Amino acid sequence: MTRTPFDPSSSILLQALHQRATDRVPVWFMRQAGRSLPEYRAVRGVESILKVLEQPDLAAEITLQPVRRYGVDAAILYSDIMAPFANLNIGIDIVPGVGPVLDEPLRTHHDLRRLRAVDPSTDLLAMMDTVDLCVKELNVPLIGFCGGPFTVASYLVEGRPSRTHTTIKRLILEEPRLFDQLASRLVDISVSTLAAQVAHGASVVQIFDSWIGTLSPWMFRTALLPHLQRLAIETTALGVPVIYFGVETAGLLDDLAGLGFTALGLDWRTDLNAVVDRLGTNIALQGNLDPSILLAPREVLLTATEDILMASARVKGYIFNLGHGILPETDPDNVAAVVDFVHRRGTELRSRIEP
């Protein structure tokens, strides 16, 4: 059977991101590829994710698995926000059960010299091969992604995941010029990574700045806002929709909405109705379902899903998603039930509510 080529004009995800009317509500999930899928566990092996990402055939297969199983409206590239740094010789590793680890964190001006620019033709070769393979097989958009400057900086400065982000915050306060130089380089790397993904066929990109919500509004505006303004300008210039996602961003939403990204991803700690009241309907929104609700009995799960669909009905550009990634213990049948429910009920519910 000949595969139907991907037609951007037929994508309800792209239509929603452009805030055009769609015949149903688009849906995909952060971490839709991964540990919750038995087919993933069957092919993944025990190697470090960085080793897996060096194998484009395997990374592409993992990317495609949830599209085949669930019929979601987009694939997201199987990769990691630290993958662009793997070939930069700064000593990065992603330790199972821990996360990104750097033996010699970047904390001084001398350390910063170790962080060079990314050359996509060499440093991102395996990633681009994976994108090529995925685009060849998909009839839905491929979402490329990168890490946001604060989140990546926190790993590089802390040396590992942190609950308090004390070291990176101290750097911002005590060495603002050093942090400014680091963040500027990270924006360059993010733009280079996303530009390469788009050049190879990614139709949408998402910026994961998961830890941005740990900053106070004052620290955010002082240290990060100028870098995010440049990131928004340079990524939206790539010609595809750009989604910005952070966790615990309720106190930053007004600032984030004004940056010019195509869409904002919402975690589950914000009330979607309140967000729509606050931001209006001039920006596309994505997400908001608590990932833990996918562990609930089916009736509870679908009730919570319906509540979000109702709240999103005033937003022409809304994409159903979680407020963070799928948890490893999630039953794939529950994910499938949500996809089916969103596709069946989403547009019906939206049509009942006047914008």
Side-chain angles (χ1 to χ4, degrees):
M1 175 182 273
T2 303
R3 183 189 67 83
T4 302
F6 171 57
D7 177 8
S9 67
S10 68
S11 168
I12 61 171
L13 178 82
L14 293 176
Q15 291 170 23
L17 286 167
H18 290 298
Q19 299 193 64
R20 300 175 187 143
T22 60
D23 61 359
R24 60 181 183 173
V25 176
V27 53
W28 70 278
F29 301 92
M30 290 179 281
R31 293 184 188 156
Q32 63 187 17
R35 292 172 290 175
S36 65
L37 292 180
E39 56 265 45
Y40 168 83
R41 296 192 294 269
V43 301
R44 169 64 168 80
V46 296
E47 296 178 303
S48 161
I49 186 174
L50 294 178
K51 292 295 184 183
V52 174
L53 297 180
E54 292 173 359
Q55 305 170 64
D57 288 346
L58 179 54
E61 166 61 20
I62 294 170
T63 301
L64 298 172
Q65 286 176 345
V67 179
R68 299 190 195 113
R69 174 183 277 263
Y70 299 130
V72 285
D73 298 302
I76 183 164
L77 181 68
Y78 181 74
S79 188
D80 189 274
I81 64 170
M82 303 309 292
F85 301 87
N87 294 322
L88 301 188
N89 298 317
I90 60 172
I92 192 78
D93 193 13
I94 301 175
V95 178
V98 178
V101 173
L102 199 67
D103 289 337
E104 298 181 27
L106 308 184
R107 297 175 180 172
T108 68
H109 288 279
H110 183 268
D111 293 334
L112 190 58
R113 298 174 190 170
R114 294 158 47 203
L115 185 63
R116 63 170 175 82
V118 162
D119 180 351
S121 66
T122 54
D123 300 323
L124 305 181
L125 186 59
M127 181 186 289
M128 295 308 101
D129 286 345
T130 302
V131 173
D132 289 339
L133 290 171
C134 291
V135 170
K136 183 179 178 181
E137 294 296 324
L138 286 167
N139 57 9
V140 295
L142 176 68
I143 302 173
F145 71 90
C146 71
F150 177 73
T151 297
V152 174
S154 71
Y155 290 129
L156 297 181
V157 172
E158 299 281 349
R160 61 182 49 241
S162 170
R163 292 184 177 181
T164 61
H165 300 89
T166 304
T167 306
I168 183 70
K169 290 181 180 180
R170 180 180 291 127
L171 182 72
I172 290 172
L173 296 169
E174 296 180 352
E175 295 279 358
R177 185 177 177 184
L178 174 57
F179 177 79
D180 193 63
Q181 292 172 343
L182 173 60
S184 182
R185 293 194 189 188
L186 294 178
V187 169
D188 291 341
I189 290 172
S190 293
V191 173
S192 295
T193 300
L194 296 183
Q197 293 172 354
V198 170
H200 283 254
S203 302
V204 180
V205 293
Q206 178 158 311
I207 298 164
F208 285 90
D209 218 353
S210 300
W211 309 136
I212 194 73
T214 65
L215 296 176
S216 68
W218 175 84
M219 192 176 291
F220 169 82
R221 292 169 189 146
T222 301
L224 264 298
L225 189 56
H227 298 288
L228 291 182
Q229 288 170 332
R230 180 165 75 88
L231 182 61
I233 290 169
E234 296 188 16
T235 54
T236 55
L238 297 175
V240 301
V242 183
I243 306 165
Y244 180 89
F245 171 74
V247 176
E248 295 185 297
T249 56
L252 308 176
L253 284 178
D254 295 295
D255 292 299
L256 294 175
L259 288 171
F261 292 114
T262 311
L264 290 183
L266 304 175
D267 75 356
W268 68 95
R269 298 173 179 87
T270 55
D271 180 88
L272 187 51
N273 272 309
V275 171
V276 177
D277 289 339
R278 182 173 164 186
L279 301 182
T281 59
N282 294 322
I283 186 169
L285 298 175
Q286 173 181 279
N288 198 223
L289 182 69
D290 184 342
S292 69
I293 294 177
L294 287 172
L295 309 178
R298 189 69 54 84
E299 181 179 353
V300 175
L301 169 58
L302 296 185
T303 298
T305 299
E306 184 167 12
D307 286 347
I308 288 180
L309 290 171
M310 289 287 288
S312 71
R314 290 181 289 158
V315 184
K316 187 181 294 184
Y318 175 73
I319 299 99
F320 191 92
N321 206 316
L322 304 180
H324 209 270
I326 290 179
L327 298 170
E329 56 268 46
T330 301
D331 183 347
D333 288 343
N334 276 356
V335 179
V338 170
V339 173
D340 179 66
F341 186 82
V342 171
H343 283 163
R344 284 189 298 107
R345 291 279 285 148
T347 302
E348 177 188 344
L349 291 168
R350 289 164 66 92
S351 68
R352 295 179 183 175
I353 300 180
E354 292 294 328

